[in-house]
Amino acid sequence: MKIRRRNIIGLLLSLMLLLCGCGEEQGTTGAIDHKTPVNDGGTIVVGVSQVGSESVWRSANSKSVQEVFTKENGYYLIFDNARQKQENQVKAIRNFISLQVDYIVFSPITEDGWETVLKEAKDAGIPVILMDRKLENKYDGLYTTWVGSDFYGEGVKAGRWLEDYLGDKTEQVNMVVLKGTKGASSMIGRTKGFQDVAKEHSNWKILEEADADYTTAKGEEEMERLLKTYPDIDVLVSQNDDMTFGALKAISAAGKSTGVGGEITVISFDAVKRALELVEKGVINLDVECNPNQGEKLAEVITRLEKKQNIEKAYYVDEMIFTPEKVGLYIKDRTY
Ligand code: GYE
């Protein structure tokens, strides 16, 4: 039988002590059932620190992890929802370290601000696997590997599609960008990727890039403000579907139309089912897919680490783009 750092019963006891009083409000203890006695037959204990539940994408990402790190698959999952607060993520990671989990998986809300806690994990000898968002390069020695999307590439895809869509149009094209969470690698990559294509076109004018934190409420609020500030918006680039849903509400409240044949061309990211349905209806012109199904890859990486096999520093998930012409083929199979 495999010797783990700590047997699971001891872990449960510590966990109860540590988390006692936190309760569901803190969003901790996702997959823990304190009442079930667990026998450690080589169970792999994984602590997952999730950013929050700010978007449909995020919920799908959490589900993908929870579906794979199950008792049946030989895992014991401690899942923590940080509710969009970096300090909650730091706290969760510290808990995982005290519990001597076998692996820490976490989606860093921002690219920076992890120095101390990641050093603590390293000193404790616990491998850290990043999920979804990345860290600044200076952290390269403090995590084992990363599983996620090519955010810069997603931004470029949006730009290249728009290039194609606008054809040889030479008049000025006015754009606004709704950006995701400040400091998040997905926001940084998508912004830069799109900007780099925009720079190649002297007639593309980015009027403003507004922070909207990946939420529907902020998307609506910011879009309402942008519409009042700039009466002539031609293109909206919204860095996730949730912000797009809010923005579409604001646009229709302002009496404007979007999508195919509409006044404002809409580019969105994530490609969740509800957004794909809007692509099919021609309300959204383009949705750049971001794949939240990262659980399987994470488990594969852990299996490799368990077998002491080589692993890469980064694993990219597959992604595509959706336009009204071909989206119909994909909608029914979309589970999120
Ligand atoms: O696009 C957004 C989520 O980091 C890729 O975070 C992720 C983004 C995703 O809240 O919907």
Side-chain angles (χ1 to χ4, degrees), residues 306-322:
E306 287 290 300
K307 291 184 182 159
K308 311 257 179 281
Q309 289 170 341
N310 286 343
I311 53 157
E312 312 276 333
K313 193 71 184 176
Y315 291 93
Y316 290 91
V317 288
D318 295 331
E319 296 171 334
M320 54 192 291
I321 62 168
F322 297 100

mmCIF file with all atom_site columns, all heavy atoms in Angstrom, residues 306-322:
data_model
loop_
_atom_site.group_PDB
_atom_site.id
_atom_site.type_symbol
_atom_site.label_atom_id
_atom_site.label_alt_id
_atom_site.label_comp_id
_atom_site.label_asym_id
_atom_site.label_entity_id
_atom_site.label_seq_id
_atom_site.pdbx_PDB_ins_code
_atom_site.Cartn_x
_atom_site.Cartn_y
_atom_site.Cartn_z
_atom_site.occupancy
_atom_site.B_iso_or_equiv
_atom_site.pdbx_formal_charge
_atom_site.auth_seq_id
_atom_site.auth_comp_id
_atom_site.auth_asym_id
_atom_site.auth_atom_id
_atom_site.pdbx_PDB_model_num
ATOM 1   N N   . GLU A 1 306 ? 2.604   10.767 -10.008 1.00 0.00 ? 306 GLU A N   1
ATOM 2   C CA  . GLU A 1 306 ? 2.612   9.611  -9.107  1.00 0.00 ? 306 GLU A CA  1
ATOM 3   C C   . GLU A 1 306 ? 3.569   8.527  -9.620  1.00 0.00 ? 306 GLU A C   1
ATOM 4   O O   . GLU A 1 306 ? 4.219   7.852  -8.852  1.00 0.00 ? 306 GLU A O   1
ATOM 5   C CB  . GLU A 1 306 ? 1.197   9.024  -9.003  1.00 0.00 ? 306 GLU A CB  1
ATOM 6   C CG  . GLU A 1 306 ? 0.244   9.867  -8.182  1.00 0.00 ? 306 GLU A CG  1
ATOM 7   C CD  . GLU A 1 306 ? 0.588   9.835  -6.695  1.00 0.00 ? 306 GLU A CD  1
ATOM 8   O OE1 . GLU A 1 306 ? 0.572   8.751  -6.117  1.00 0.00 ? 306 GLU A OE1 1
ATOM 9   O OE2 . GLU A 1 306 ? 0.884   10.911 -6.132  1.00 0.00 ? 306 GLU A OE2 1
ATOM 10  N N   . LYS A 1 307 ? 3.593   8.384  -10.942 1.00 0.00 ? 307 LYS A N   1
ATOM 11  C CA  . LYS A 1 307 ? 4.450   7.352  -11.545 1.00 0.00 ? 307 LYS A CA  1
ATOM 12  C C   . LYS A 1 307 ? 5.859   7.865  -11.789 1.00 0.00 ? 307 LYS A C   1
ATOM 13  O O   . LYS A 1 307 ? 6.650   7.206  -12.466 1.00 0.00 ? 307 LYS A O   1
ATOM 14  C CB  . LYS A 1 307 ? 3.839   6.901  -12.877 1.00 0.00 ? 307 LYS A CB  1
ATOM 15  C CG  . LYS A 1 307 ? 2.544   6.128  -12.726 1.00 0.00 ? 307 LYS A CG  1
ATOM 16  C CD  . LYS A 1 307 ? 2.102   5.649  -14.099 1.00 0.00 ? 307 LYS A CD  1
ATOM 17  C CE  . LYS A 1 307 ? 0.789   4.910  -14.037 1.00 0.00 ? 307 LYS A CE  1
ATOM 18  N NZ  . LYS A 1 307 ? 0.131   4.884  -15.348 1.00 0.00 ? 307 LYS A NZ  1
ATOM 19  N N   . LYS A 1 308 ? 6.113   9.072  -11.311 1.00 0.00 ? 308 LYS A N   1
ATOM 20  C CA  . LYS A 1 308 ? 7.433   9.723  -11.482 1.00 0.00 ? 308 LYS A CA  1
ATOM 21  C C   . LYS A 1 308 ? 7.811   9.859  -12.959 1.00 0.00 ? 308 LYS A C   1
ATOM 22  O O   . LYS A 1 308 ? 8.975   9.747  -13.341 1.00 0.00 ? 308 LYS A O   1
ATOM 23  C CB  . LYS A 1 308 ? 8.542   8.948  -10.747 1.00 0.00 ? 308 LYS A CB  1
ATOM 24  C CG  . LYS A 1 308 ? 8.220   8.586  -9.308  1.00 0.00 ? 308 LYS A CG  1
ATOM 25  C CD  . LYS A 1 308 ? 8.957   9.528  -8.346  1.00 0.00 ? 308 LYS A CD  1
ATOM 26  C CE  . LYS A 1 308 ? 8.676   9.242  -6.887  1.00 0.00 ? 308 LYS A CE  1
ATOM 27  N NZ  . LYS A 1 308 ? 7.393   9.751  -6.393  1.00 0.00 ? 308 LYS A NZ  1
ATOM 28  N N   . GLN A 1 309 ? 6.787   10.063 -13.789 1.00 0.00 ? 309 GLN A N   1
ATOM 29  C CA  . GLN A 1 309 ? 7.059   10.268 -15.215 1.00 0.00 ? 309 GLN A CA  1
ATOM 30  C C   . GLN A 1 309 ? 7.286   11.750 -15.484 1.00 0.00 ? 309 GLN A C   1
ATOM 31  O O   . GLN A 1 309 ? 6.848   12.599 -14.699 1.00 0.00 ? 309 GLN A O   1
ATOM 32  C CB  . GLN A 1 309 ? 5.855   9.783  -16.039 1.00 0.00 ? 309 GLN A CB  1
ATOM 33  C CG  . GLN A 1 309 ? 5.727   8.275  -16.045 1.00 0.00 ? 309 GLN A CG  1
ATOM 34  C CD  . GLN A 1 309 ? 4.407   7.818  -16.651 1.00 0.00 ? 309 GLN A CD  1
ATOM 35  O OE1 . GLN A 1 309 ? 3.456   8.582  -16.742 1.00 0.00 ? 309 GLN A OE1 1
ATOM 36  N NE2 . GLN A 1 309 ? 4.344   6.561  -17.043 1.00 0.00 ? 309 GLN A NE2 1
ATOM 37  N N   . ASN A 1 310 ? 7.927   12.026 -16.596 1.00 0.00 ? 310 ASN A N   1
ATOM 38  C CA  . ASN A 1 310 ? 8.186   13.428 -16.951 1.00 0.00 ? 310 ASN A CA  1
ATOM 39  C C   . ASN A 1 310 ? 6.887   14.147 -17.253 1.00 0.00 ? 310 ASN A C   1
ATOM 40  O O   . ASN A 1 310 ? 5.969   13.563 -17.813 1.00 0.00 ? 310 ASN A O   1
ATOM 41  C CB  . ASN A 1 310 ? 9.045   13.517 -18.216 1.00 0.00 ? 310 ASN A CB  1
ATOM 42  C CG  . ASN A 1 310 ? 10.473  13.146 -17.900 1.00 0.00 ? 310 ASN A CG  1
ATOM 43  O OD1 . ASN A 1 310 ? 10.878  13.131 -16.730 1.00 0.00 ? 310 ASN A OD1 1
ATOM 44  N ND2 . ASN A 1 310 ? 11.220  12.834 -18.935 1.00 0.00 ? 310 ASN A ND2 1
ATOM 45  N N   . ILE A 1 311 ? 6.859   15.417 -16.896 1.00 0.00 ? 311 ILE A N   1
ATOM 46  C CA  . ILE A 1 311 ? 5.692   16.204 -17.298 1.00 0.00 ? 311 ILE A CA  1
ATOM 47  C C   . ILE A 1 311 ? 6.162   17.509 -17.934 1.00 0.00 ? 311 ILE A C   1
ATOM 48  O O   . ILE A 1 311 ? 7.276   17.957 -17.706 1.00 0.00 ? 311 ILE A O   1
ATOM 49  C CB  . ILE A 1 311 ? 4.748   16.519 -16.115 1.00 0.00 ? 311 ILE A CB  1
ATOM 50  C CG1 . ILE A 1 311 ? 5.505   17.172 -14.958 1.00 0.00 ? 311 ILE A CG1 1
ATOM 51  C CG2 . ILE A 1 311 ? 3.981   15.306 -15.659 1.00 0.00 ? 311 ILE A CG2 1
ATOM 52  C CD1 . ILE A 1 311 ? 4.593   17.958 -14.083 1.00 0.00 ? 311 ILE A CD1 1
ATOM 53  N N   . GLU A 1 312 ? 5.273   18.092 -18.714 1.00 0.00 ? 312 GLU A N   1
ATOM 54  C CA  . GLU A 1 312 ? 5.562   19.381 -19.347 1.00 0.00 ? 312 GLU A CA  1
ATOM 55  C C   . GLU A 1 312 ? 5.288   20.480 -18.333 1.00 0.00 ? 312 GLU A C   1
ATOM 56  O O   . GLU A 1 312 ? 4.621   20.263 -17.337 1.00 0.00 ? 312 GLU A O   1
ATOM 57  C CB  . GLU A 1 312 ? 4.618   19.609 -20.542 1.00 0.00 ? 312 GLU A CB  1
ATOM 58  C CG  . GLU A 1 312 ? 4.487   18.451 -21.495 1.00 0.00 ? 312 GLU A CG  1
ATOM 59  C CD  . GLU A 1 312 ? 5.588   18.433 -22.522 1.00 0.00 ? 312 GLU A CD  1
ATOM 60  O OE1 . GLU A 1 312 ? 6.108   19.523 -22.825 1.00 0.00 ? 312 GLU A OE1 1
ATOM 61  O OE2 . GLU A 1 312 ? 5.947   17.332 -22.985 1.00 0.00 ? 312 GLU A OE2 1
ATOM 62  N N   . LYS A 1 313 ? 5.763   21.686 -18.664 1.00 0.00 ? 313 LYS A N   1
ATOM 63  C CA  . LYS A 1 313 ? 5.497   22.816 -17.762 1.00 0.00 ? 313 LYS A CA  1
ATOM 64  C C   . LYS A 1 313 ? 4.105   23.415 -18.036 1.00 0.00 ? 313 LYS A C   1
ATOM 65  O O   . LYS A 1 313 ? 3.546   24.139 -17.216 1.00 0.00 ? 313 LYS A O   1
ATOM 66  C CB  . LYS A 1 313 ? 6.600   23.875 -17.952 1.00 0.00 ? 313 LYS A CB  1
ATOM 67  C CG  . LYS A 1 313 ? 6.641   24.942 -16.888 1.00 0.00 ? 313 LYS A CG  1
ATOM 68  C CD  . LYS A 1 313 ? 7.150   24.442 -15.537 1.00 0.00 ? 313 LYS A CD  1
ATOM 69  C CE  . LYS A 1 313 ? 7.080   25.547 -14.486 1.00 0.00 ? 313 LYS A CE  1
ATOM 70  N NZ  . LYS A 1 313 ? 7.459   25.101 -13.149 1.00 0.00 ? 313 LYS A NZ  1
ATOM 71  N N   . ALA A 1 314 ? 3.557   23.117 -19.224 1.00 0.00 ? 314 ALA A N   1
ATOM 72  C CA  . ALA A 1 314 ? 2.244   23.681 -19.578 1.00 0.00 ? 314 ALA A CA  1
ATOM 73  C C   . ALA A 1 314 ? 1.475   22.706 -20.458 1.00 0.00 ? 314 ALA A C   1
ATOM 74  O O   . ALA A 1 314 ? 2.057   22.054 -21.327 1.00 0.00 ? 314 ALA A O   1
ATOM 75  C CB  . ALA A 1 314 ? 2.431   24.993 -20.322 1.00 0.00 ? 314 ALA A CB  1
ATOM 76  N N   . TYR A 1 315 ? 0.179   22.579 -20.184 1.00 0.00 ? 315 TYR A N   1
ATOM 77  C CA  . TYR A 1 315 ? -0.707  21.754 -21.014 1.00 0.00 ? 315 TYR A CA  1
ATOM 78  C C   . TYR A 1 315 ? -1.879  22.610 -21.481 1.00 0.00 ? 315 TYR A C   1
ATOM 79  O O   . TYR A 1 315 ? -2.617  23.158 -20.656 1.00 0.00 ? 315 TYR A O   1
ATOM 80  C CB  . TYR A 1 315 ? -1.249  20.567 -20.213 1.00 0.00 ? 315 TYR A CB  1
ATOM 81  C CG  . TYR A 1 315 ? -0.189  19.543 -19.873 1.00 0.00 ? 315 TYR A CG  1
ATOM 82  C CD1 . TYR A 1 315 ? 0.494   19.620 -18.664 1.00 0.00 ? 315 TYR A CD1 1
ATOM 83  C CD2 . TYR A 1 315 ? 0.132   18.521 -20.766 1.00 0.00 ? 315 TYR A CD2 1
ATOM 84  C CE1 . TYR A 1 315 ? 1.480   18.690 -18.339 1.00 0.00 ? 315 TYR A CE1 1
ATOM 85  C CE2 . TYR A 1 315 ? 1.112   17.585 -20.457 1.00 0.00 ? 315 TYR A CE2 1
ATOM 86  C CZ  . TYR A 1 315 ? 1.776   17.677 -19.242 1.00 0.00 ? 315 TYR A CZ  1
ATOM 87  O OH  . TYR A 1 315 ? 2.747   16.761 -18.926 1.00 0.00 ? 315 TYR A OH  1
ATOM 88  N N   . TYR A 1 316 ? -2.023  22.709 -22.798 1.00 0.00 ? 316 TYR A N   1
ATOM 89  C CA  . TYR A 1 316 ? -3.114  23.522 -23.356 1.00 0.00 ? 316 TYR A CA  1
ATOM 90  C C   . TYR A 1 316 ? -4.306  22.648 -23.717 1.00 0.00 ? 316 TYR A C   1
ATOM 91  O O   . TYR A 1 316 ? -4.135  21.569 -24.276 1.00 0.00 ? 316 TYR A O   1
ATOM 92  C CB  . TYR A 1 316 ? -2.628  24.248 -24.617 1.00 0.00 ? 316 TYR A CB  1
ATOM 93  C CG  . TYR A 1 316 ? -1.630  25.338 -24.318 1.00 0.00 ? 316 TYR A CG  1
ATOM 94  C CD1 . TYR A 1 316 ? -0.261  25.075 -24.301 1.00 0.00 ? 316 TYR A CD1 1
ATOM 95  C CD2 . TYR A 1 316 ? -2.053  26.633 -24.038 1.00 0.00 ? 316 TYR A CD2 1
ATOM 96  C CE1 . TYR A 1 316 ? 0.662   26.072 -24.009 1.00 0.00 ? 316 TYR A CE1 1
ATOM 97  C CE2 . TYR A 1 316 ? -1.140  27.632 -23.748 1.00 0.00 ? 316 TYR A CE2 1
ATOM 98  C CZ  . TYR A 1 316 ? 0.213   27.351 -23.735 1.00 0.00 ? 316 TYR A CZ  1
ATOM 99  O OH  . TYR A 1 316 ? 1.119   28.342 -23.439 1.00 0.00 ? 316 TYR A OH  1
ATOM 100 N N   . VAL A 1 317 ? -5.511  23.136 -23.391 1.00 0.00 ? 317 VAL A N   1
ATOM 101 C CA  . VAL A 1 317 ? -6.716  22.405 -23.797 1.00 0.00 ? 317 VAL A CA  1
ATOM 102 C C   . VAL A 1 317 ? -7.131  22.869 -25.202 1.00 0.00 ? 317 VAL A C   1
ATOM 103 O O   . VAL A 1 317 ? -6.758  23.957 -25.632 1.00 0.00 ? 317 VAL A O   1
ATOM 104 C CB  . VAL A 1 317 ? -7.877  22.638 -22.786 1.00 0.00 ? 317 VAL A CB  1
ATOM 105 C CG1 . VAL A 1 317 ? -7.623  21.911 -21.485 1.00 0.00 ? 317 VAL A CG1 1
ATOM 106 C CG2 . VAL A 1 317 ? -8.109  24.127 -22.515 1.00 0.00 ? 317 VAL A CG2 1
ATOM 107 N N   . ASP A 1 318 ? -7.900  22.029 -25.912 1.00 0.00 ? 318 ASP A N   1
ATOM 108 C CA  . ASP A 1 318 ? -8.295  22.364 -27.291 1.00 0.00 ? 318 ASP A CA  1
ATOM 109 C C   . ASP A 1 318 ? -9.443  23.368 -27.310 1.00 0.00 ? 318 ASP A C   1
ATOM 110 O O   . ASP A 1 318 ? -10.362 23.284 -26.490 1.00 0.00 ? 318 ASP A O   1
ATOM 111 C CB  . ASP A 1 318 ? -8.780  21.101 -28.023 1.00 0.00 ? 318 ASP A CB  1
ATOM 112 C CG  . ASP A 1 318 ? -7.644  20.111 -28.189 1.00 0.00 ? 318 ASP A CG  1
ATOM 113 O OD1 . ASP A 1 318 ? -6.484  20.557 -28.267 1.00 0.00 ? 318 ASP A OD1 1
ATOM 114 O OD2 . ASP A 1 318 ? -7.921  18.897 -28.213 1.00 0.00 ? 318 ASP A OD2 1
ATOM 115 N N   . GLU A 1 319 ? -9.403  24.256 -28.284 1.00 0.00 ? 319 GLU A N   1
ATOM 116 C CA  . GLU A 1 319 ? -10.450 25.284 -28.387 1.00 0.00 ? 319 GLU A CA  1
ATOM 117 C C   . GLU A 1 319 ? -10.702 25.688 -29.833 1.00 0.00 ? 319 GLU A C   1
ATOM 118 O O   . GLU A 1 319 ? -9.802  25.594 -30.657 1.00 0.00 ? 319 GLU A O   1
ATOM 119 C CB  . GLU A 1 319 ? -10.027 26.526 -27.585 1.00 0.00 ? 319 GLU A CB  1
ATOM 120 C CG  . GLU A 1 319 ? -9.921  26.200 -26.123 1.00 0.00 ? 319 GLU A CG  1
ATOM 121 C CD  . GLU A 1 319 ? -9.317  27.252 -25.234 1.00 0.00 ? 319 GLU A CD  1
ATOM 122 O OE1 . GLU A 1 319 ? -8.518  28.087 -25.692 1.00 0.00 ? 319 GLU A OE1 1
ATOM 123 O OE2 . GLU A 1 319 ? -9.645  27.229 -24.061 1.00 0.00 ? 319 GLU A OE2 1
ATOM 124 N N   . MET A 1 320 ? -11.931 26.173 -30.091 1.00 0.00 ? 320 MET A N   1
ATOM 125 C CA  . MET A 1 320 ? -12.249 26.630 -31.442 1.00 0.00 ? 320 MET A CA  1
ATOM 126 C C   . MET A 1 320 ? -13.022 27.955 -31.398 1.00 0.00 ? 320 MET A C   1
ATOM 127 O O   . MET A 1 320 ? -13.178 28.530 -30.321 1.00 0.00 ? 320 MET A O   1
ATOM 128 C CB  . MET A 1 320 ? -13.022 25.556 -32.186 1.00 0.00 ? 320 MET A CB  1
ATOM 129 C CG  . MET A 1 320 ? -14.261 25.060 -31.467 1.00 0.00 ? 320 MET A CG  1
ATOM 130 S SD  . MET A 1 320 ? -14.932 23.565 -32.215 1.00 0.00 ? 320 MET A SD  1
ATOM 131 C CE  . MET A 1 320 ? -15.539 24.211 -33.768 1.00 0.00 ? 320 MET A CE  1
ATOM 132 N N   . ILE A 1 321 ? -13.484 28.415 -32.536 1.00 0.00 ? 321 ILE A N   1
ATOM 133 C CA  . ILE A 1 321 ? -14.311 29.632 -32.538 1.00 0.00 ? 321 ILE A CA  1
ATOM 134 C C   . ILE A 1 321 ? -15.670 29.308 -33.164 1.00 0.00 ? 321 ILE A C   1
ATOM 135 O O   . ILE A 1 321 ? -15.779 28.388 -33.968 1.00 0.00 ? 321 ILE A O   1
ATOM 136 C CB  . ILE A 1 321 ? -13.641 30.812 -33.286 1.00 0.00 ? 321 ILE A CB  1
ATOM 137 C CG1 . ILE A 1 321 ? -13.411 30.487 -34.763 1.00 0.00 ? 321 ILE A CG1 1
ATOM 138 C CG2 . ILE A 1 321 ? -12.345 31.249 -32.611 1.00 0.00 ? 321 ILE A CG2 1
ATOM 139 C CD1 . ILE A 1 321 ? -13.029 31.720 -35.593 1.00 0.00 ? 321 ILE A CD1 1
ATOM 140 N N   . PHE A 1 322 ? -16.684 30.080 -32.760 1.00 0.00 ? 322 PHE A N   1
ATOM 141 C CA  . PHE A 1 322 ? -18.034 29.810 -33.255 1.00 0.00 ? 322 PHE A CA  1
ATOM 142 C C   . PHE A 1 322 ? -18.644 31.042 -33.918 1.00 0.00 ? 322 PHE A C   1
ATOM 143 O O   . PHE A 1 322 ? -18.654 32.129 -33.331 1.00 0.00 ? 322 PHE A O   1
ATOM 144 C CB  . PHE A 1 322 ? -18.942 29.367 -32.113 1.00 0.00 ? 322 PHE A CB  1
ATOM 145 C CG  . PHE A 1 322 ? -18.495 28.076 -31.475 1.00 0.00 ? 322 PHE A CG  1
ATOM 146 C CD1 . PHE A 1 322 ? -17.780 28.091 -30.282 1.00 0.00 ? 322 PHE A CD1 1
ATOM 147 C CD2 . PHE A 1 322 ? -18.769 26.858 -32.087 1.00 0.00 ? 322 PHE A CD2 1
ATOM 148 C CE1 . PHE A 1 322 ? -17.355 26.899 -29.699 1.00 0.00 ? 322 PHE A CE1 1
ATOM 149 C CE2 . PHE A 1 322 ? -18.346 25.664 -31.510 1.00 0.00 ? 322 PHE A CE2 1
ATOM 150 C CZ  . PHE A 1 322 ? -17.636 25.685 -30.315 1.00 0.00 ? 322 PHE A CZ  1
#
